[in-house]
């Protein structure tokens, strides 16, 4: 983990992000997720007293996670496989919480796939899909952040 963190810190300063999964600029997202992301960003900036650099510093240090679980998926998988991977990731996070371990899934962990591949020997035909930080939450005030959530009635409709 120390090697990955050191490599990540260097990459974060000198290399443009290039994860295995293509990322989109938020302007290219559909209206609803783009609006939701903008709300979250504004809320986070307010939480940080408009000093986003502290969050970026924490990202560059991979959130000080003592361990990261990297989930991969074959690059030639159909898009439907990402649903399975997401369900698997959520199950892992629920099991960890049940065992008293905190988790944090984050894009930051997979921004530079070569830093992980060079240390963990992840094959080129596997995409680093997501990293999940594992550990025990500290008393750091960042851990008090709660993303704004839409009312359940706005995002879920049950048909009878």
């Amino acid at each position: 983990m120390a090697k990955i963190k050191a490599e990540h810190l260097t990459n974060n300063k000198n290399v443009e992000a290039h994860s295995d999964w293509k990322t989109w600029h938020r302007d290219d997202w559909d209206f609803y997720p783009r609006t939701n992301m903008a709300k979250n960003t504004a809320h986070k900036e307010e939480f940080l007293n408009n000093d986003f650099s502290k969050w970026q510093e924490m990202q560059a240090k991979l959130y000080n996670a003592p361990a990261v679980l990297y989930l991969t998926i074959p690059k030639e998988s159909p898009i439907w496989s990402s649903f399975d991977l997401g369900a698997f990731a959520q199950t892992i996070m629920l099991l960890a919480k049940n065992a008293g371990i905190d988790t944090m899934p984050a894009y930051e962990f997979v921004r530079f796939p070569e830093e992980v591949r060079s240390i963990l020997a992840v094959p080129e035909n596997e995409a680093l899909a997501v990293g999940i930080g594992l550990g025990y939450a500290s008393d750091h005030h960042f851990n008090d952040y709660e993303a704004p959530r839409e009312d359940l009635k706005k995002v879920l409709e049950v048909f009878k």
Side-chain angles (χ1 to χ4, degrees), residues 122-141:
V122 175
E124 281 296 326
N125 66 338
E126 290 284 320
L128 279 161
V130 67
I132 302 172
L134 302 168
Y136 304 101
S138 68
D139 290 334
H140 195 284
H141 79 279

Side-chain angles (χ1 to χ4, degrees), residues 64-138:
N64 295 322
V68 177
L69 176 65
Y70 291 96
L71 300 185
T72 68
I73 190 168
K75 287 182 178 177
E76 297 301 317
S77 295
I79 194 167
W80 293 105
S81 295
S82 61
F83 174 81
D84 297 332
L85 187 68
F88 182 64
Q90 182 180 24
T91 301
I92 288 170
M93 290 185 286
L94 290 170
L95 288 167
K97 189 64 175 173
N98 191 53
I101 300 168
D102 295 303
T103 61
M104 180 181 178
Y107 164 72
E108 191 68 28
F109 296 121
V110 295
R111 277 181 65 201
F112 308 107
E114 72 282 353
E115 68 194 20
V116 177
R117 278 198 173 82
S118 68
I119 295 166
L120 299 181
V122 175
E124 281 296 326
N125 66 338
E126 290 284 320
L128 279 161
V130 67
I132 302 172
L134 302 168
Y136 304 101
S138 68

Side-chain angles (χ1 to χ4, degrees), residues 1 25 34 36 55 69 103-104 107 138 144 146 148 157:
M1 198 62 231
H25 188 276
R34 184 176 64 241
N36 195 42
W55 193 272
L69 176 65
T103 61
M104 180 181 178
Y107 164 72
S138 68
D144 295 332
E146 290 186 22
E157 185 174 347

